[in-house]
Structures are given as C-alpha cells and as structure tokens.
Amino acid sequence: MILIAVTLLVVGFLFSQLFANYYFSVKERELAVRGQQISRLIVAVSRSERPRWFTGLLPDPRLDLLLSGIDELLNARIVLVNADGMVVGSTISSGSIQPGMRPDLEELSAVLGGTIIAKRGTIKGIQEPTLAVGVPVYSRGTVVGALFLYSPVAGVTSALVAVRRLIVYAALGATLLSLLLGYAFSRSISRPLQAINRAAIRMAEGDFKTDVPVYSDDEIGDLARTFSSLTRTLDKSINELASEKGKIESILASMAEGVVACEVEENPERDGGVSSMVQVQDAVTRITLMNSRAESVLGVQKGQYLSRPVSDLEAVLPGLGDLMLRVVREGKPATEEFVIGEGKSYVVVHASPVGRGLEGLDRFGAVAVLQDITELKRLDLLRRDFIANVSHELRTPLTSIRAFLEALMDGVGEDAKTRERYFKTVYDETLRLERLIKDLLELSLLQAGKINWNMKPLRLSDVTETVLKKMGPEMDAKGIRAVLLTEPGLPEALADRDRIEQVLINLLSNATRFSPRGSYIEVRLSSIPAGEAMGNEKASGNRAEEVLPDGNGEVPAEGSGEVSADASGEALADGSAEVSADEGEPLAEAKEVLVEVKDKGPGIPAEDLAHIWERFYRVEKSRSREGGGTGLGLSIVKEIVEAHGGRVYVVSEVGKGSTFAFTLPACGRATRTQNGTT
C-alpha cells in the first residue's frame, strides 16, 4: 500500500512538472510569435510615418502610445531597444529600463545578434516573476533593434497550482481506492493463511483434528483443502503409530524376557555412517528402553536407568554395558551368560545391533534380550543330582547283592546259618530295589499327571485308624505308641482314600523310624479356614504332651500300638469311632482338614527344612539308608497332597522332634459319632 501511494505521489509530481514545463513552453512560443508580429508592426509604422524611433534619442509619444496599447492587449510589459542598446520605448514605469537608458540585460547582445531568447525570472521594475521573450527587429533584412516582452507568470502559476491540486486529489483518491482494494485483496489471502497458521500451531501442540475453512476456490482454497487433508492423514497415521506403539509396549511388558535398548545420541561433529559408529563413545550411548521384566531381573526401580549412559549398567550387572557397546561398535550380535548375586541367579544376554537402513550399515544402537535361566540351571542341577542319586541308590544294593553272591559262590558260608544270613541280606536288598523302582515310577506318574484319582467324601478319622492298625506291628517292634486326637465335628475331606492312606503310611513310617524306643507319635485331626497359615500350635486343640488319652499326662499303656481318643483325652470303649455322614450339619464357611503327625525324634536342622520335600534328600544319609528308606517318600507325599489341592509343611527343632502336616479341602458336611464324640 505504501509503495502504491509513493508511486502515485511521484507520478503526480512528475506529471505536474511536465505540465508546467509544457505550459511555459507554449507561453514562450506564443510570446515569441507575438513579439515577431509586434516588431514587424513597429517597423511598418516606423516606415509609414517616417519616425526616427530606432535612431532618435528622445522619447516619442506615438511610440509610447503604441506600446501601451499593445501592453494592455497582451498583458505583457514591452521594452524596445535600438541597435545601439539604448531603450527607445518601454511600458515599465520604474527601474532602469526607461527610454534613453541603456539596460543591463544579459540577453540583449544575443537578441541583437538575431537570436530569439526566452527566460523565466525576476526583472527590475517588475515585482513578480515573469516570462521574458526577446526577438530581434528587422528592417530590410538588418537587425535595427530588439523587442522584449515580459509577461507575469502569476496567472500561469495559479493555473499550475490548480492542476497540481487536481493531481494531488486524484492521487489521494487513487491511493485511498488502492488501499481499500489492497486491504480487501490482502484479507482474502491473509485470512485463509492465518487459519492455516493457527491449524499448524495446533498441530505442533499435538492436535491433529483441525480442519482449515475454505474461503475461495483459487489456489489459496486449494492450499486450505490440502492442509485439511494433511491433518486428517497425519491424525490417522499418528493414531496407527500410537496403536502399534501400545501393542509393542504391551508385548514388551508381558514378555518373560527382559529387554534393554540403547541408542547413540546425534553428534554434530561426526559425519555419519559406519566409520563414525566405530568410534562411538559411551558418553553418547544412552538407554532408551527397559521393560519391567528387565528391571526385575536387574533389581532396579521402574524408569531408574532410562536416558542414563549404558556404562551405568555395570553397577548392577558387570559386563552388560560393555557387551552392548561392543555390539554397537562392531555391528555383530553377541551372547554372554552372567551370574547375579554370587550364583543366586543366572542370566543369558543376547545382544544385536539396530540399524536405520535395511542392511543395518548405519548402526545407531543395540537391543539386548535378558533371559533368566536360573530355573533352567536349577532343573539341570536337579536332573544331574537325580541321576547321581538314582545311580547311587541302585549301585548300593546291587553292590551288596553282588558281594554276598560272590561269597556264596566262593563257598565262604559253609554252615547253614551263615548262608541263611547271606540269602536274607540279598533278599532284603532286592526288596529295597523293588521299593525304589516302585517309588520312582509312582513319583514319575504323579508328576506327569497320569494318575486316576477316585475323589470321594472321606472321614479322615476312619482312614487314620485303619493306617494305625496297619502300622501296629512296626510300632510295637520299637515299643512306640500312637495318640489320635480328633476335633469334634470334623468335616469330611474330598480325597482319594488309597492315596491318603499312602500319605499317612509314609509320614507314620518316617516318624516310627526316627522316634526313640518307648516314645509315642501324635496324630491330630482338625479343621482350619481355607487358606489360613499353618503353624506349630493350633487353636483347635492342645499340645499332645499336655493332653494324653488317660487325662493325666502319662504315656498310654502298651497294647495294639494304637489309641483313639476324643478331644478331652477319653479313649473310646472299643478304640474306634463310629461316624454317620448323613447326620452332619452344612459347613458355614470354606474349610480345610488339617492332619498333623508329630514325633519325638532327633529333629531336623533349620538349614535342611527347605529341602526336606526334594527327591533323595536325606538329613542323615547313613541312618536313613540303614532304615530302608528310598528318599522319595516325602516327595510322593507332597505330590499327592498338592494334587488334592492341599498344602504340606514341616516344623522341627533339633532334639525335640518334628511335626509333619498337610491339609485337604473339606467338603459339605461335618461328621458326628453316634454317642456325640468324634
């Protein structure tokens, strides 16, 4: 707009100057023509009346009258000069240009030389700017004088001022009109551009759902439509990328393996490519990703190592940071195994370079997958131990059998008694081998889930009494007596009777084997809320050494090796308990039946309790092997109980005995005896 206004003003000024010059040129030519005409008139009058105007020195009234008439006719002052440069006639009333005077006119000599001159300026005797024209006066082809016409330029100046004013008004009008048109035109361009700018700002702030309004069908309108299409496309692409990112993050979060990624920061001094990546320094290689599993494996807090240098990983897993940096530098995958916590856990790390190009030539980072192989190591160790234990357990009886058979073949045992002892030993070792193979096969079937379970409501008091009767001879051989304490209203358990008998036989056999002669074994049956923690003392009954069947704290008398008693310590008359399943009351809440077997043996050290349920684990290996155990009984107990949905636990104190216990899910009703005690 300013440019247009300045242009119009300059053009107006130049036009006014051009007009002024043209106007003055026309006026000068007009005065020159008039001057020539007047000069010829004066010469003609001078000849007819034979005056001596161009030779005389005195004023001539007739000449003055002629010049005055011409002055009024042309509105121009007239000065007539003869060839000698003397004024002979003048209409200028004052100044130095009077008849008989020699005027000081610069142009006089040129005019007397035959040249017509024109000039603008101020003349003495005329108080305003004038336009002067001088023409030579010819008589018979000879210059006899000079005629000067002086026309005031006030009229010309006023006309020029009016013209210039008109030009200024036109320029102002044109400028105003151009400003209005320019404003309207600029608005038609700037409004959609401003809308596009606002949309771009919102896009920079993350809002990609903005449409740009279209105000026209020209190129600006096409730009607005294209920009709106761009925002929709970007919004769709960003949503798809966010969805894919969410999927990847979900996958990484749910992975069983840990994932750690690092990236080389952009360095303006490097020129890119492989050559620069070979010189990657740790100062510009930072961790960009670490999923929750990796944080768990490394034992760090969530987000603790993000954006930190890779070398910081050396503090939690020495060697991991160096491995990732080596992979970035060399561009080759690498795998290493690390030990965490002095052998408490093991991790295998697979690291691979990550590249921008399809060929991975422009490497900019690495990804490491952390696989926790602690359980695999443990299982492998168990497998090796199992093979070693099985080999040892098989080799020991086979060695004994071989030795005694060689002795018999060599005739070492000549008397019948010695041979009978040898044969009995061989027979016992074969029975031991048979038990070992049977337990191994059964444990394998249990762990493989190939056992058919006959699950029925079961009264554990009946099952326990049956097992105690079966164990009677073995207990009597060591002078050991049993105490059975049953909680009143004990609910039935949902279980396989044969398998539960097997569990009780294994526990009671261990208790009998390790209990001292003349002691007793306590079997306690009670109920607890489902999921309640098991402990050494339960609120459902008293400790066995405090409540004995005879009520006075003494060990029961010897007999069948089995005593059945109620919670108050009174033995039933026939040593058994008759129960009725259909007379029970519905259970008010989910419960478990707790079975505890407590002995007076030597106890188990605390460091062995965590391994007591493992296969072939023995606290005193020589004593347990002498007692005929295979080392698989407690493992079988654990598998059977857990297959029923129950739990096992052991509490022991060296020198005071051990308590082995397990739970079974209780089913719908409590049991009652016919006489009200159970």
Side-chain angles (χ1 to χ4, degrees), residues 601-607 652-658:
I604 303 172
E607 60 271 15
S652 182
E653 186 176 351
V654 176
K656 294 186 178 182
S658 304

Side-chain angles (χ1 to χ4, degrees), residues 137-392:
V137 179
Y138 290 92
S139 176
R140 295 185 181 91
T142 304
V143 176
V144 295
L147 180 66
F148 291 91
L149 299 177
Y150 297 95
S151 176
V153 298
V156 177
T157 303
S158 62
L160 289 176
V161 169
V163 171
R164 286 174 178 172
R165 186 181 295 112
L166 180 61
I167 292 174
V168 170
Y169 290 158
L172 291 176
T175 302
L176 180 60
L177 180 60
S178 64
L179 288 174
L180 294 176
L181 293 176
Y183 176 77
F185 181 70
S186 64
R187 282 289 298 167
S188 66
I189 296 176
S190 63
R191 184 166 57 170
L193 292 179
Q194 289 174 352
I196 294 174
N197 181 60
R198 289 192 296 269
I201 293 174
R202 287 194 291 270
M203 288 176 62
E205 295 173 350
D207 181 10
F208 295 92
K209 299 183 180 298
T210 301
D211 285 336
V212 178
V214 179
Y215 297 101
S216 61
D217 292 330
D218 55 4
E219 291 80 1
I220 301 297
D222 293 339
L223 177 61
R225 280 187 288 269
T226 303
F227 197 88
S228 297
S229 176
L230 173 64
T231 58
R232 289 190 293 269
T233 303
L234 284 176
D235 183 58
K236 180 180 178 181
S237 300
I238 290 175
N239 288 335
E240 290 176 354
L241 289 175
S243 177
E244 292 299 322
K245 180 183 178 182
K247 292 178 182 178
I248 293 175
E249 289 178 348
S250 298
I251 292 173
L252 290 175
S254 60
M255 284 180 62
E257 294 82 11
V259 178
V260 178
C262 68
E263 182 176 347
V264 179
E265 291 182 346
E266 292 295 334
N267 189 347
E269 297 181 357
R270 66 182 182 91
D271 56 359
V274 178
S275 60
S276 64
M277 297 302 297
V278 173
Q279 301 177 355
V280 168
Q281 299 298 322
D282 173 63
V284 295
T285 305
R286 298 188 179 277
I287 299 170
T288 57
L289 172 68
M290 182 179 292
N291 67 350
S292 57
R293 179 56 181 164
E295 292 170 339
S296 175
V297 170
L298 298 176
V300 299
Q301 297 179 358
K302 182 177 179 62
Q304 180 180 354
Y305 277 81
L306 288 180
S307 301
R308 292 176 60 175
V310 172
S311 62
D312 288 359
L313 293 175
E314 296 294 312
V316 293
L317 186 57
L320 177 57
D322 290 340
L323 172 65
M324 297 185 71
L325 285 173
R326 186 172 72 250
V327 168
V328 173
R329 287 194 299 267
E330 299 176 358
K332 297 179 181 179
T335 301
E336 287 188 14
E337 182 176 318
F338 297 91
V339 180
I340 302 177
E342 299 180 355
K344 293 182 179 180
S345 59
Y346 298 84
V347 176
V348 172
V349 179
H350 307 276
S352 300
V354 179
R356 293 185 178 90
L358 294 177
E359 302 297 329
L361 295 179
D362 189 11
R363 299 181 297 280
F364 70 94
V367 173
V369 178
L370 284 65
Q371 184 179 4
D372 190 351
I373 60 171
T374 305
E375 184 64 17
L376 294 177
K377 287 281 188 180
R378 189 186 71 82
L379 293 176
D380 183 64
L381 180 61
L382 289 177
R383 179 185 60 82
R384 292 198 300 263
D385 291 344
F386 177 75
I387 294 174
N389 288 327
V390 169
S391 300
H392 180 73

Side-chain angles (χ1 to χ4, degrees), residues 438 441-443 445-446 450-455 458 460 463 467 495-506 636-637 639-641 643-644 662 664:
K438 179 181 178 181
L441 178 60
E442 187 166 10
L443 184 60
L445 292 175
L446 285 169
K450 296 182 179 180
I451 298 294
N452 292 324
W453 302 94
N454 184 20
M455 309 294 283
L458 188 66
L460 286 181
V463 177
V467 171
D496 185 317
R497 183 183 181 97
D498 293 338
R499 296 298 173 183
I500 298 305
E501 285 188 4
Q502 184 180 2
V503 168
L504 288 171
I505 288 173
N506 283 344
I636 293 174
V637 168
E639 293 292 337
I640 292 175
V641 171
H644 281 76
F662 65 92
L664 295 173

